[in-house]
Amino acid sequence: MNILDKIIERKKQETAEAESKISVEKLKDSEFFGRPTFSLKETIRTKSGIITEFKRKSPSKGIINNKVSPLDVVSQYEKFGASAVSVLTDEDFFGGSFDDILSVRNHINIPILRKDFMIDEYQFYEAKSIGADVILLIAACLSPTQVSEFTDLAHSLDLEVLLEIHSEEELKHINKDIDFVGINNRNLKDFKVDLQHAADLKNQLPGNILSIAESGIYHEEDFRFLKEKGFDGFLMGEYFMKNENPGEKFGEFVSNVEI
């Protein structure tokens, strides 16, 4: 099994366990379930275009930064113009938790992307209940039919949808209701990064869809390269999180690339 297969297998077990403890009806009673959501479609255009990320570790990098608090980091991200913040909620492989979103939701006024491996309807109710505004669908672990059905469910919950693809074959997962298509510069099966591959794939996207360059953006030159290729937004995590103060590093980056 590759790492993605291992993650999905664990996610199936994890979701079944969660649903056995807390029903969907109980999730609907949560504090955040009825809140109006923030729109990434709006902030991607009006702010820096960068979706910053709070991530403690990853399967490929190990520990990235486990010494900072979510609130300290994301409040700085917002201060320096982030369009949104992506928060990892997978515990086993990325060191995340629902608390990472819950602890910041009432303190920031930009969208939160729940970044996880969404394979079950139950997870969408979870996302809504913890205050997320956007969810990630990963084409590599879903069928086109599942993407369509999950998109409809997300929209019924007032959640926007970022569909992540990495290959030409995954273009078939795109449908007219998707809010954003993210092209992952990193192959989820072997974790190799190829910016040119992502740039080439972008040229095959429908012309009216917002595009997000994801992962593997390690230098200001990488950002400029992808921006020149016409991406509307950029999801960046490790570049900032590997620093002692991720928020200040983001502010420095925004100043240097003259957004």
Side-chain angles (χ1 to χ4, degrees), residues 26 31 46 55 88 123 137 144 184 195 197 207 229 242:
K26 188 69 174 177
E31 173 189 357
T46 58
K55 177 167 65 173
L88 276 293
Q123 295 170 286
L137 298 182
N184 198 334
L195 298 186
H197 171 74
K229 297 300 180 181
K242 67 184 180 182

Side-chain angles (χ1 to χ4, degrees), residues 144 147 163 165 170-176 178 181 204-206 209:
V147 169
L163 171 67
I165 66 172
E170 291 171 356
L171 289 166
K172 66 184 181 184
H173 288 68
I174 300 172
N175 63 65
K176 63 180 178 61
I178 292 292
V181 171
Q204 300 180 60
L205 296 181
I209 200 154

